[in-house]
């Protein structure tokens, strides 16, 4: 491939796999020229435990870059920059001298630190942590996972004592490996998800580190999201951002009250609140959206553990359908759920319920219940969770939300998107660009805008309202048991 365009690479390291985009920029217009993907192994050692092999992810990353250059007949010198966006709260610990990980990466979905969270809440730590981080004490975030490693790994404690321990989210692990250990750095949108970072002072917090047993010298240097992070084989690493925040940027959500929903393995409902750090809720998080040349934008966020993962579970574990297309056809072969509902707590419930002990359940079944009803209940549970989060955000901000921008793989089904518009009573705009997280971080560093108006779905019916209220009732019943 040889032309006059500027060529840039964007690495999107997600929960299910890693993808690499080659983007060509000419006259401030960008076009995705090629995409390559590679999945990595999902490891489930025990019920509720989720791990990734961090070395496999590094191997996949390097192989993708090599294959992209070979397939496009480009050299490293032809690439202007490499930007990174990544799954957020997943944590890796490694030996600074050898570069070897202490264990598998503990994924954001992993619940092994539930008991630690309960102990900290009972000890009265949540108020201080939420005041500094904008987050709740929950196994979703990195801090409890790190403390679990310290409590269960002799190697972690030994490396910490000798000053040879490194701890980081997936971005800092990748940067370390791509730069051969020369750069150990992260940026605020990732750091703010660890429960170790004061989002108002933009720095690691010594008191928070002490709560989670973390030596401050084991943590990465903080740089701006649009900063430089070293080089990989001569390619400058420029721009790093957590995936959900990158999607917020990619959706052009720059004004107070702009809101987007990213529907991937999990789901992130995020509202731009600019510099308004005074908005507080017990059930909705506050986080750093991004930092750009020293300026910090904040966001409100409701996180949902199981979105696309619910469909994967229905398919792979329950064998209710094969492909997603088959699942969609089956779900919409019936007119409604006929009273069948899913409590989507395969990994516990996050916003706005915050109940890590609750278990998944199908409720309302009878002798006539068949596969289509169960599958439809799975799809509807995704929509109902989003409704619950947006209702909470509206209550916190006292804002009328006229439009919600959505992106992610689950948005490909038009009927489901119409149902989302109906259950929210809000206009839905589905992005015409699939790789918004990747393009968001590229937009931050390059200054161009690829976003165009997406497909519009206006509310047509409120027929789902009784079903939503019934689902909420079932959620509360299961939580009360």
């Amino acid at each position: 491939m040889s032309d006059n365009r500027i060529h840039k690479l964007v690495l999107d390291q997600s929960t299910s796999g890693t993808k690499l985009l080659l983007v060509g920029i000419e006259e401030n217009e960008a076009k995705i020229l090629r995409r390559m993907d590679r999945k990595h192994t999902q490891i489930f050692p025990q019920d509720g435990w989720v791990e990734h092999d961090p070395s496999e992810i590094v191997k996949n990353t390097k192989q993708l870059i090599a294959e992209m250059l070979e397939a496009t007949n480009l050299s490293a010198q032809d690439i202007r920059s490499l930007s990174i966006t990544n799954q957020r709260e997943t944590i890796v610990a490694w030996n600074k001298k050898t570069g070897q990980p202490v264990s598998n990466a503990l994924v954001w979905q992993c619940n092994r630190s539930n008991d630690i969270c309960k102990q900290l809440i009972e000890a009265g730590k949540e108020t201080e942590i939420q005041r500094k981080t904008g987050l709740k004490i929950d196994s979703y975030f990195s801090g409890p996972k790190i403390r679990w490693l310290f409590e269960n790994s002799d190697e972690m404690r030994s490396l910490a004592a000798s000053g040879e321990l490194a701890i980081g989210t997936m971005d800092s692990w990748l940067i370390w490996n791509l730069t051969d250990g020369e750069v150990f750095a992260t940026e605020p949108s990732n750091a703010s998800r660890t429960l170790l970072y004061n989002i108002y002072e933009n720095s690691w917090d010594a008191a928070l580190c002490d709560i989670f047993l973390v030596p401050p010298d084991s943590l990465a240097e903080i740089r701006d999201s649009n900063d430089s992070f070293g080089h990989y084989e001569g390619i400058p690493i420029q721009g790093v951002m957590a995936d959900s925040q990158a999607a917020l940027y990619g959706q052009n959500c720059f004004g107070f009250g702009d809101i987007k929903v990213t529907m991937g393995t999990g789901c992130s409902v995020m509202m731009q609140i600019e510099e308004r750090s005074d908005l507080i809720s017990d059930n909705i998080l506050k986080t750093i959206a991004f930092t750009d040349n020293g300026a910090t934008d904040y966001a409100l966020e409701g996180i949902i553990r199981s979105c696309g993962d619910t469909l994967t579970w229905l398919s792979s574990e329950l064998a209710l359908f094969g492909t997603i297309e088959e699942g969609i056809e089956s779900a919409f072969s019936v007119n409604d759920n006929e009273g069948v509902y899913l409590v989507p707590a395969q990994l516990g419930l996050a916003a706005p319920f915050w109940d890590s002990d609750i278990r998944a359940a199908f409720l309302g079944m009878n002798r006539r219940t068949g596969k289509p009803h169960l599958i439809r209940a799975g799809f509807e549970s995704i929509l109902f969770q989003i409704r619950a989060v947006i209702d909470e955000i509206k209550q916190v901000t006292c804002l009328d939300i006229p439009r919600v921008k959505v992106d992610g793989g689950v948005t490909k089904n038009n009927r489901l998107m119409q149902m989302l518009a109906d259950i929210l009573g809000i206009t839905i705009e589905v992005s015409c660009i699939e790789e918004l997280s990747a393009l968001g971080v590229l937009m931050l560093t390059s200054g161009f805008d690829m976003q165009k108006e997406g497909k519009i779905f206006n509310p047509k019916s409120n027929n789902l309202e009784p079903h939503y209220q019934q689902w909420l009732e079932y959620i509360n019943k299961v939580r009360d048991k």
Side-chain angles (χ1 to χ4, degrees):
M1 181 181 293
S2 178
D3 54 40
N4 295 322
R5 288 176 286 201
I6 294 172
H7 295 100
K8 297 193 174 190
L9 292 175
V10 189
L11 184 76
D12 186 347
Q13 200 297 296
S14 71
T15 309
S16 59
T18 304
K19 63 185 173 187
L20 183 69
L21 304 180
L22 175 66
V23 179
I25 303 175
E26 187 173 15
E27 295 181 355
N28 210 35
E29 290 189 5
K31 181 180 180 181
I32 297 172
L33 304 178
R34 193 155 191 152
R35 167 180 164 173
M36 292 184 172
D37 299 77
R38 184 155 296 175
K39 291 188 179 299
H40 55 256
T41 306
Q42 304 297 313
I43 304 168
F44 306 99
Q46 297 183 29
D47 180 36
W49 292 27
V50 189
E51 299 177 358
H52 293 155
D53 179 349
S55 298
E56 179 188 8
I57 291 174
V58 170
K59 180 182 177 182
N60 288 349
T61 297
K62 292 182 176 181
Q63 286 181 344
L64 282 170
I65 294 172
E67 290 170 7
M68 180 68 79
L69 295 178
E70 181 179 1
T72 56
N73 197 29
L74 293 170
S75 68
Q77 290 71 35
D78 295 319
I79 305 299
R80 182 69 60 87
S81 65
L82 167 66
S83 300
I84 298 173
T85 183
N86 58 282
Q87 55 171 316
R88 299 183 295 178
E89 297 81 5
T90 297
I91 202 74
V92 185
W94 66 95
N95 185 318
K96 287 180 180 177
K97 284 192 173 181
T98 67
Q100 293 301 306
V102 172
S103 69
N104 279 334
L106 305 191
V107 181
W108 57 270
Q109 298 165 307
C110 187
N111 283 338
R112 73 184 64 192
S113 57
N114 279 352
D115 287 344
I116 290 172
C117 293
K118 292 175 185 176
Q119 292 165 13
L120 292 174
I121 291 170
E122 290 172 0
K125 299 296 183 181
E126 186 153 53
T127 299
E128 177 187 2
I129 288 174
Q130 191 162 15
R131 178 174 57 83
K132 291 180 175 181
T133 69
L135 309 178
K136 297 179 69 67
I137 296 178
D138 191 87
S139 59
Y140 187 98
F141 304 109
S142 311
K145 303 179 197 301
I146 300 170
R147 178 160 174 159
W148 186 94
L149 284 172
F150 272 109
E151 292 181 355
N152 290 275
S153 171
D154 292 336
E155 185 179 2
M156 281 280 286
R157 295 190 292 272
S158 175
L159 290 174
S162 65
E164 297 173 3
L165 179 66
I167 303 171
T169 43
M170 193 57 68
D171 59 313
S172 57
W173 166 248
L174 286 173
I175 291 165
W176 172 281
N177 281 276
L178 292 174
T179 63
D180 293 325
E182 290 185 5
V183 178
F184 182 33
T186 186
E187 54 73 58
S189 70
N190 276 292
S192 65
R193 312 301 295 186
T194 61
L195 294 180
L196 307 174
Y197 192 76
N198 189 315
I199 64 174
Y200 307 106
E201 297 180 359
N202 270 306
S203 63
W204 301 117
D205 187 281
L208 297 178
C209 288
D210 186 60
I211 290 172
F212 293 103
L213 310 179
V214 178
D217 65 1
S218 68
L219 298 174
E221 172 194 352
I222 303 294
R223 300 185 181 181
D224 266 0
S225 306
N226 63 349
D227 214 330
S228 297
F229 293 83
H231 295 78
Y232 174 63
E233 296 190 347
I235 303 173
I237 302 173
Q238 179 78 35
V240 176
M241 199 185 302
D243 54 8
S244 186
Q245 285 94 322
L248 186 77
Y249 200 99
Q251 286 277 26
N252 286 338
C253 291
F254 302 133
F256 182 84
D258 289 348
I259 188 168
K260 67 89 191 175
V261 178
T262 299
M263 302 173 70
T265 301
C267 179
S268 165
V269 183
M270 186 172 282
M271 175 184 281
Q272 166 71 255
I273 59 171
E274 299 177 333
E275 298 179 358
R276 285 283 303 277
S277 59
D278 58 319
L279 295 172
I280 298 174
S281 166
D282 286 338
N283 298 321
I284 297 297
L285 309 175
K286 183 162 48 182
T287 193
I288 290 179
F290 36 77
T291 56
D292 187 358
N293 296 319
T296 300
D297 277 15
Y298 295 92
L300 295 179
E301 183 183 21
I303 52 176
I304 296 168
R305 291 183 184 273
S306 297
C307 181
D309 188 60
T310 290
L311 307 181
T312 301
W313 173 66
L314 295 176
S315 173
S316 62
E317 304 302 326
L318 301 188
L320 293 178
F321 54 87
T323 65
I324 291 295
E325 290 73 20
E326 292 171 355
I328 290 169
E329 182 178 352
S330 180
F332 296 110
S333 67
V334 292
N335 292 327
D336 64 33
N337 61 25
E338 292 200 21
V340 179
Y341 298 88
L342 171 63
V343 176
Q346 303 89 275
L347 297 165
L349 290 177
F353 308 106
W354 296 106
D355 191 332
S356 57
D357 291 331
I358 190 173
R359 304 298 293 267
F362 282 104
L363 299 170
M365 294 184 289
N366 59 38
R367 185 62 184 83
R368 294 172 52 196
T369 300
K371 284 185 179 181
H373 304 107
L374 300 177
I375 298 169
R376 188 180 180 101
F379 277 97
E380 290 182 352
S381 73
I382 296 171
L383 309 181
F384 294 158
Q385 288 179 98
I386 294 171
R387 162 70 184 273
V389 167
I390 288 184
D391 280 356
E392 189 75 20
I393 289 177
K394 289 166 72 174
Q395 184 173 342
V396 172
T397 61
C398 299
L399 287 177
D400 179 38
I401 300 172
R403 176 174 295 208
V404 173
K405 297 181 177 182
V406 299
D407 59 88
V410 182
T411 66
K412 293 178 181 179
N413 182 256
N414 288 341
R415 187 159 183 182
L416 193 68
M417 292 300 97
Q418 183 59 57
M419 291 174 66
L420 181 59
D422 291 343
I423 192 61
L424 295 180
I426 296 171
T427 295
I428 297 298
E429 180 181 343
V430 179
S431 174
C432 59
I433 300 174
E434 183 177 350
E435 292 86 2
L436 270 182
S437 293
L439 294 177
V441 67
L442 190 60
M443 286 166 58
L444 176 69
T445 59
S446 302
F448 65 85
D449 178 9
M450 286 188 68
Q451 188 58 275
K452 301 176 182 177
E453 184 174 270
K455 195 167 188 177
I456 302 299
F457 295 86
N458 292 308
K460 293 181 178 179
S461 166
N462 63 354
N463 290 341
L464 284 172
E465 184 64 23
H467 293 293
Y468 172 65
Q469 296 300 331
Q470 180 62 68
W471 178 81
L472 276 181
E473 185 176 326
Y474 277 136
I475 292 284
N476 292 327
K477 282 183 177 179
V478 173
R479 293 180 68 198
D480 288 341
K481 287 184 178 180

